[in-house]
Amino acid sequence: MTTTTPARTTTRMAALVSEIRTVVERGLAPDLTAYLVGERLAPHLGAPDLLTPTQQEGDPERYRQHILHAESDGSFSVVALVWLPGQETCIHDHVSWCVAGVHQGEESERRFRLAPGAGPARLVATEDVVNTQGDVCGFAPPGDIHKVRNSCSTKAISVHVYGADVSRLGTSIRRVYKLPVD
């Protein structure tokens, strides 16, 4: 993943950040926060004035992360992930609650659970989800192990909100899993 630093914010993005701030300041449980943030994000997805042209640029080598906003107190960040056809993440989980919404294109997600056993731990696929423009999903650790990829033949863009300062951390990924998959 390549990362770019925050750039100019559109008026619509500034409004979305304000809506997210109002939810996060309530100090609710992570899963409820993710749900409510997802409700605020959904109406903005697909709007042509949400992202600047620069914030929609991909990278031919790997998916690209554009940091759109990081709250000064570190309580949340908003990023745009731009995926060219076939680009994908590793299997991973996150440092905090997360909400993802598809702004353009289509993304496929495979979700996993960790299955400890008599031998070494392994991953078991639990669900395959295809998210299209306007779809939103949210989660809070634990139980957020997944892999995401652009499953369409055009560029895909998703907007992610994390309950952490991604500009400081560099990523929202807590752990990468390189275990056998059943």
Side-chain angles (χ1 to χ4, degrees), residues 4-170:
T4 58
T5 55
R8 180 178 70 84
T9 299
T10 66
T11 301
R12 181 180 284 273
M13 181 56 67
L16 174 59
V17 166
S18 179
E19 293 175 42
I20 294 167
R21 182 179 296 119
T22 299
V23 170
V24 172
E25 286 176 344
R26 292 174 66 186
L28 302 170
D31 56 343
L32 182 54
T33 298
Y35 177 81
L36 294 172
V37 167
E39 284 187 331
R40 301 322 184 271
L41 174 60
H44 297 279
L45 296 171
D49 59 341
L50 182 62
L51 302 173
T52 68
T54 301
Q55 294 164 345
Q56 299 177 59
E57 292 177 358
D59 180 320
E61 299 298 317
R62 61 195 61 83
Y63 72 95
R64 186 172 189 180
Q65 173 180 269
H66 296 274
I67 299 173
L68 308 175
H69 176 81
E71 192 72 351
S72 60
D73 66 1
S75 60
F76 72 92
S77 302
V78 183
V79 304
L81 296 184
V82 181
W83 317 74
L84 299 181
Q87 291 179 336
E88 63 186 12
T89 68
C90 54
I91 300 172
H92 65 280
D93 63 8
H94 293 274
V95 297
S96 68
W97 60 265
C98 173
V99 174
V102 178
H103 179 64
Q104 173 185 318
E106 178 180 285
E107 295 175 0
S108 293
E109 177 186 17
R110 175 164 277 180
R111 298 173 183 170
F112 300 89
R113 69 176 173 81
L114 190 58
R122 64 189 194 293
L123 293 172
V124 176
T126 59
E127 186 175 16
D128 287 307
V129 179
V130 177
N131 295 304
T132 59
Q133 183 179 328
D135 289 341
V136 175
C137 63
F139 50 80
D144 62 321
I145 304 169
H146 67 161
K147 178 179 185 169
V148 181
R149 72 179 180 87
N150 177 349
S151 55
C152 63
S153 59
T154 61
K155 176 171 53 178
I157 302 173
S158 50
V159 176
H160 297 237
V161 184
Y162 300 105
D165 185 346
V166 173
S167 69
R168 185 178 58 79
L169 298 174

